[in-house]
Amino acid sequence: MMKIRCVVERITYQNPENGYTVLKTRVKGYEDLVTVVGNLLEVNVGSVLLMEGNWKVDTKYGRQFCAVSFEETLPATVYGMEKYLGSGLIKGVGPKFAKRIVQKFGTDTFAVIEDNIALLIEVPGIGNKRIQMIAASWERQKEVKNIMLFLQEHGVSTAFAAKIYRQYGNESINRVKENPYKLADDIWGIGFKTADTIAEKLGFSKESFVRLRSGIMYTLSELADEGHVYATKDQLIQEAARLLEAEDSFVVMTLDQMIKDKDVIREIKEAPVKKEQEGQREEAIYLPPFYFAEIGTAGKLLKLMAQPAKDRLWVQLSKARAESGNENLSVDVSGIERHLHMEYDEIQANAIRQAAFSKVMVLTGGPGTGKTTTTQGIIAAFRMYGLKILLAAPTGRAAKRMTEATGLEAKTIHRLLECKPPEGYQKNEENPLEGDVLIVDECSMIDILLMNSLLKAVPANMRLVLIGDIDQLPSVGAGNVLRDIIDAGRFPVVRLKRIFRQAKESRIILNAHRMNEGRMPDISNGKNTDFFFLEREQPEDAVLEIVSLVKNKLPAYYGTPSSSIQVLTPMQRGVVGATNLNLVLQEALNLESDGLRRSGFVFKRNDKVMQIKNNYEKEVFNGDIGFVESVDMQERTLTVNFDNRSITYEASELDELLHAYATTIHKAQGSEYPIVVMPVLMTHFCMLQRNLLYTGITRAKKILVIVGTKKALAYGVRNVTVTKRNTMLRERLEGKLLLFTGWGNKA
């Protein structure tokens, strides 16, 4: 193998899925730019790289250097110094000032910045304020560089260096050496495998307790990401042993110790088994937050049901029922109809009457069944008696729709609970919500952790109305809360089934219900329909059609900008997956040249992006969609507009964002879009399920276009196989649980 030292001139291509990168570099002794290929994610323009690899001649692209490994070094030449300083790595120095600084100090540039930075005042345009900025950024970058070099020595990408530094500061290297597995616990984006790679290089044994413990914790976290509140013991041992490449006995011994140390919680329940297996028990292993969330959610819901409300409506109805002996006496729905100029069917009227005398109630139904108008009636009933009503939803978009439908302010659950990092939610048991009624929409999206946090803030005398469509996908986070609450049978549930006349005019709604019943949707197309099906057999042809629809056809026909058209796809990967669709749609729709690069993606002005983790400090949450309104190449920051709120991201924070020209259907829960384009092909067969297609279709407000094959659509409609989530909320609500509980001991 050979070594070359080069300066990165430009990044020609990067594949974000596998890291394959094509660079144009300047190498001493070579007149022309040298092409370098290899796994080179997180390399910046201006970086000086010492690469090890081999030369090869590609039949199409000519001579290339194939890099096997690389390390980043500080440049030694005037040219390299200028490139490095102008790359944006050092705040306060862009290409313009980089050129001036290097012209002034030549090869002494770095020595001046390091030892006598005050001399920069001699450079035209640089004042004391900028010098201070450069000095701070230089010191920080030095520390990050040290971390990068340390990680590279241990065979790890430099992608997470800035995050590690932000978390641990100058103690970064010591903390990593002490326990590299803490990285997986403390830093978002760093998983067990990355930490394990570092640990191996540092000499940690494969059978060490700290490694086995970290692997078990990681396995539980991964299962939680798949929707499981707990893991069965057998499931956990199997998955952890596979991850750790360890014998089951080592995993079992480690798990037993973790139960003793209270790192995890074991609960034993009678397994729901056949007669011949009677007496068998199932061991459930919880991460503590999920255990206490499940216990807390069940306990609080039952407590709410057990205590009466104290509001005017409750008192008057209680008195009237007692005096009349009529336990079904409730509010006058006909009066509400006159007040709202609406007409309710019997099920809707029953929902309003039920809400008037319920502490906890669930309202569920599909699109077009009147959930919104019924909610308006429930609110009207409460307002007639002067009750203070709070409205909430899991996402900003869902809260906005709720506000528009009711005329009352609806907040996201996070805003309602006054989330303030790092302290957490300000509304809780000690500081509860103030009001008589809490109405929460899109409850199918709420996971067990968020539901527990919400219920903590609900005082015992407050009413709770939960609204949602249980035929949609369950929450992205762990649990199946709404369904468990309904299935427990402890709370009044009103199911709306009738599709109203206005909704019957929408083929989107009719087809959603047809699919829910296991029938093929009507794909006959037609001039006046809102539901279109375009047959495309090959994924590549589907991609071309999707680009044409979003860029030209749909905007021209409906007068809707491309930014209002949302592509929803079943999967992240593949030709018609969200990753590739975003790349081709960005290329087609955004002609901006400058942008910040992260993990193979380039973020440019006007890009449509999505936040993919809850960031309580910035007050942006998983699933929020915004548009990049500016990119500062000098400061290495970009600003995203989320519903008229401008949020700034540093380059190291860009892994919190994904392009959102296309998103997965899972990520679109709780949102509605004027026009939706949805690929449905057999390449997605492992994800084609009825509830997924139903969720995707019902995201379209005005127009839906499916691009794909009838075979794939039929497969999805027929496939009702849904992976069962490990949750015991229903059993806790039913009162069937509590044989053994707690930290591995008898209750």
Side-chain angles (χ1 to χ4, degrees):
M1 285 211 277
M2 299 182 60
K3 288 186 179 181
I4 64 168
R5 188 182 298 272
C6 61
V7 181
V8 180
E9 282 282 329
R10 65 177 182 269
I11 301 169
T12 304
Y13 171 79
Q14 272 188 327
N15 184 326
E17 289 193 11
N18 59 22
Y20 181 79
T21 303
V22 180
L23 305 175
K24 293 293 184 181
T25 68
R26 193 164 296 282
V27 180
K28 189 177 180 180
Y30 291 81
E31 187 175 335
D32 298 326
L33 294 179
V34 172
T35 301
V36 176
V37 299
N39 192 327
L40 302 162
L41 281 179
E42 302 306 321
V43 167
N44 295 289
V45 172
S47 296
V48 179
L49 306 176
L50 181 62
M51 294 193 175
E52 191 170 14
N54 295 296
W55 290 98
K56 77 165 189 179
V57 178
D58 187 273
T59 53
K60 186 175 180 181
Y61 298 106
R63 195 166 188 245
Q64 301 174 336
F65 188 80
C66 299
V68 176
S69 64
F70 75 97
E71 63 179 77
E72 193 170 344
T73 63
L74 288 174
T77 65
V78 168
Y79 175 81
M81 289 177 178
E82 184 182 326
K83 273 287 181 185
Y84 179 83
L85 288 176
S87 68
L89 289 170
I90 309 299
K91 285 191 176 183
V93 184
K96 180 178 71 176
F97 284 118
K99 193 174 188 69
R100 291 179 186 176
I101 292 169
V102 173
Q103 279 179 343
K104 175 72 178 175
F105 300 109
T107 55
D108 294 329
T109 294
F110 285 175
V112 168
I113 296 174
E114 181 72 33
D115 303 320
N116 200 358
I117 197 168
L119 291 176
L120 292 184
I121 199 75
E122 299 175 12
V123 177
I126 293 183
N128 287 320
K129 190 175 177 181
R130 187 172 295 276
I131 289 174
Q132 289 173 10
M133 189 190 302
I134 294 169
S137 183
W138 180 262
E139 285 302 313
R140 183 174 179 275
Q141 195 61 34
K142 265 199 325 185
E143 291 297 331
V144 173
K145 284 276 179 207
N146 289 335
I147 297 163
M148 285 180 176
L149 291 171
F150 172 76
L151 291 175
Q152 285 171 0
E153 285 172 12
H154 297 88
V156 180
S157 161
T158 62
F160 301 110
K163 285 193 169 189
I164 294 171
Y165 180 75
R166 192 183 297 122
Q167 180 73 25
Y168 302 135
N170 293 337
E171 286 294 303
S172 296
I173 293 175
N174 290 336
R175 297 286 289 274
V176 172
K177 283 181 177 177
E178 183 183 319
N179 184 2
Y181 295 103
K182 281 287 289 177
L183 294 173
D185 298 334
D186 296 344
I187 299 171
W188 186 81
I190 295 183
F192 171 80
K193 291 178 182 177
T194 301
D196 200 35
T197 302
I198 301 172
E200 187 180 6
K201 297 281 184 177
L202 289 168
F204 281 74
S205 164
K206 281 194 172 293
E207 286 78 36
S208 66
F209 176 80
V210 67
R211 178 177 185 268
L212 295 168
R213 179 191 175 278
S214 182
I216 290 170
M217 297 293 280
Y218 177 77
T219 302
L220 283 169
S221 295
E222 286 290 287
L223 289 168
D225 289 343
E226 293 172 17
H228 300 295
V229 180
Y230 67 88
T232 66
K233 188 176 181 180
D234 291 344
Q235 177 189 26
L236 178 58
I237 291 168
Q238 183 181 340
E239 292 290 323
R242 184 179 55 78
L243 171 75
L244 293 159
E245 297 176 348
E247 293 180 14
D248 288 4
S249 58
F250 285 108
V251 177
V252 171
M253 284 190 295
T254 306
L255 180 59
D256 288 344
Q257 187 59 48
M258 290 171 70
I259 293 169
K260 289 178 183 174
D261 294 342
K262 303 182 181 181
D263 290 330
V264 297
I265 296 174
R266 179 182 64 185
E267 183 155 51
I268 304 174
K269 70 165 186 171
E270 297 288 352
V273 295
K274 299 174 183 176
K275 278 188 179 179
E276 61 268 21
Q277 299 171 308
E278 202 170 329
Q280 289 192 10
R281 290 171 173 173
E282 183 178 88
E283 291 189 62
I285 309 296
Y286 287 84
L287 288 169
F290 294 96
Y291 175 80
F292 291 116
E294 196 172 81
I295 291 285
T297 296
K300 188 57 179 279
L301 285 169
L302 294 172
K303 185 178 178 183
L304 283 173
M305 282 293 288
Q307 296 195 23
K310 296 179 182 178
D311 56 66
R312 183 182 165 202
L313 174 57
W314 185 279
V315 171
Q316 289 195 13
L317 271 180
S318 299
K319 186 179 178 182
R321 286 183 173 190
E323 291 175 351
S324 67
N326 182 1
E327 288 299 312
N328 296 317
L329 196 66
S330 191
V331 293
D332 177 19
V333 175
S334 60
I336 293 169
E337 289 177 320
R338 289 192 298 273
H339 176 70
L340 297 177
H341 306 290
M342 287 183 184
E343 189 175 328
Y344 292 112
D345 70 6
E346 188 51 37
I347 297 177
Q348 289 178 301
N350 179 52
I352 297 169
R353 287 192 286 267
Q354 184 67 63
F357 203 74
S358 292
K359 274 300 296 301
V360 180
M361 173 190 152
V362 178
L363 178 67
T364 185
T369 58
K371 286 199 303 293
T372 299
T373 53
T374 305
T375 303
Q376 290 170 336
I378 291 170
I379 290 171
F382 290 144
R383 294 187 76 182
M384 285 171 68
Y385 288 84
L387 273 61
K388 183 180 178 181
I389 303 165
L390 305 178
L391 303 180
T395 67
R397 287 174 177 260
K400 189 177 179 182
R401 288 204 313 275
M402 206 177 183
T403 297
E404 291 166 353
T406 63
L408 301 175
E409 184 190 13
K411 297 179 179 180
T412 64
I413 295 173
H414 294 95
R415 273 192 63 214
L416 181 76
L417 299 179
E418 298 177 12
C419 181
K420 292 183 181 178
E423 306 99 84
Y425 298 116
Q426 302 303 295
K427 292 293 183 182
N428 47 42
E429 300 101 322
E430 288 76 35
N431 183 29
L433 296 167
E434 295 176 6
D436 300 303
V437 186
L438 172 62
I439 301 175
V440 190
D441 199 7
E442 295 287 356
C443 288
S444 63
M445 296 181 64
I446 303 177
D447 61 38
I448 193 67
L449 295 178
L450 186 57
M451 180 59 82
N452 183 49
S453 296
L454 177 63
L455 291 175
K456 280 182 181 178
V458 175
N461 62 339
M462 182 178 274
R463 300 164 180 260
L464 179 66
V465 180
L466 304 174
I467 304 169
D469 183 353
I470 58 167
D471 293 317
Q472 289 186 28
L473 291 166
S475 58
V476 174
N480 203 351
V481 177
L482 184 63
R483 184 170 288 280
D484 282 348
I485 291 172
I486 292 172
D487 290 349
R490 297 291 298 269
F491 312 98
V493 177
V494 179
R495 301 173 189 262
L496 303 177
K497 295 179 180 179
R498 175 188 166 194
I499 305 174
F500 285 86
R501 181 180 57 79
Q502 190 175 356
K504 283 182 178 177
E505 297 172 4
S506 166
R507 202 181 288 176
I508 292 173
I509 290 173
L510 289 174
N511 278 339
H513 286 276
R514 284 174 70 101
M515 291 173 64
N516 227 7
E517 295 163 3
R519 297 186 292 151
M520 274 290 285
D522 179 355
I523 55 173
S524 57
N525 295 333
K527 190 175 180 181
N528 297 318
T529 187
D530 57 359
F531 188 109
F532 298 91
F533 179 82
L534 302 180
E535 184 94 32
R536 296 293 183 274
E537 187 77 33
Q538 298 302 319
E540 292 78 9
D541 295 337
V543 170
L544 291 173
E545 184 60 50
I546 289 167
V547 172
S548 177
L549 285 164
V550 176
K551 185 178 181 180
N552 300 314
K553 293 179 181 178
L554 293 170
Y557 193 82
Y558 293 104
T560 301
S562 295
S563 58
S564 297
I565 302 169
Q566 188 60 53
V567 178
L568 301 180
T569 181
M571 293 181 70
Q572 194 70 41
R573 299 193 171 203
V575 176
V576 283
T579 299
N580 185 58
L581 284 170
N582 273 313
L583 289 171
V584 296
L585 286 166
Q586 183 192 38
E587 187 179 351
L589 299 173
N590 192 346
L591 302 180
E592 293 282 331
S593 54
D594 288 338
L596 292 180
R597 190 175 292 274
R598 177 78 180 184
S599 301
F601 300 103
V602 182
F603 293 91
K604 303 187 289 186
R605 191 170 69 89
N606 298 327
D607 270 341
K608 188 178 187 179
V609 295
M610 175 184 281
Q611 178 77 13
I612 60 169
K613 68 163 290 200
N614 290 335
N615 189 320
Y616 300 100
E617 195 170 338
K618 296 183 188 294
E619 291 188 32
V620 286
F621 303 100
N622 190 2
D624 287 353
I625 287 180
F627 291 87
V628 178
E629 59 184 16
S630 65
V631 179
D632 191 324
M633 297 298 291
Q634 184 167 296
E635 299 294 326
R636 301 267 305 160
T637 62
L638 61 79
T639 302
V640 181
N641 188 302
F642 293 101
D643 288 329
N644 297 318
R645 289 176 60 246
S646 294
I647 307 296
T648 299
Y649 294 79
E650 293 187 11
S652 61
E653 298 174 307
L654 294 184
D655 59 350
E656 294 186 15
L657 296 174
L658 280 181
H659 289 102
Y661 299 99
T663 74
T664 63
I665 295 170
H666 281 86
K667 287 289 187 185
Q669 286 176 261
S671 296
E672 281 186 350
Y673 313 95
I675 301 177
V676 168
V677 178
M678 194 165 83
V680 180
L681 292 99
M682 287 307 293
T683 52
H684 292 149
F685 79 93
C686 60
M687 292 295 294
L688 292 178
Q689 297 169 349
R690 187 184 296 173
N691 64 347
L692 182 126
L693 294 182
Y694 173 85
T695 302
I697 287 170
T698 54
R699 300 310 90 201
K701 201 171 180 179
K702 295 179 179 177
I703 301 295
L704 174 81
V705 185
I706 292 178
V707 181
T709 66
K710 295 173 186 174
K711 180 182 177 182
L713 192 57
Y715 181 89
V717 171
R718 289 194 306 270
N719 186 13
V720 291
T721 307
V722 178
T723 305
K724 185 181 179 300
R725 295 186 165 194
N726 293 338
T727 162
M728 289 196 278
L729 178 61
R730 188 189 77 186
E731 288 91 336
R732 297 188 193 282
L733 290 169
E734 292 173 339
K736 292 180 179 178
L737 210 54
L738 294 182
L739 292 178
F740 295 80
T741 188
W743 304 100
N745 302 314
K746 285 191 178 185

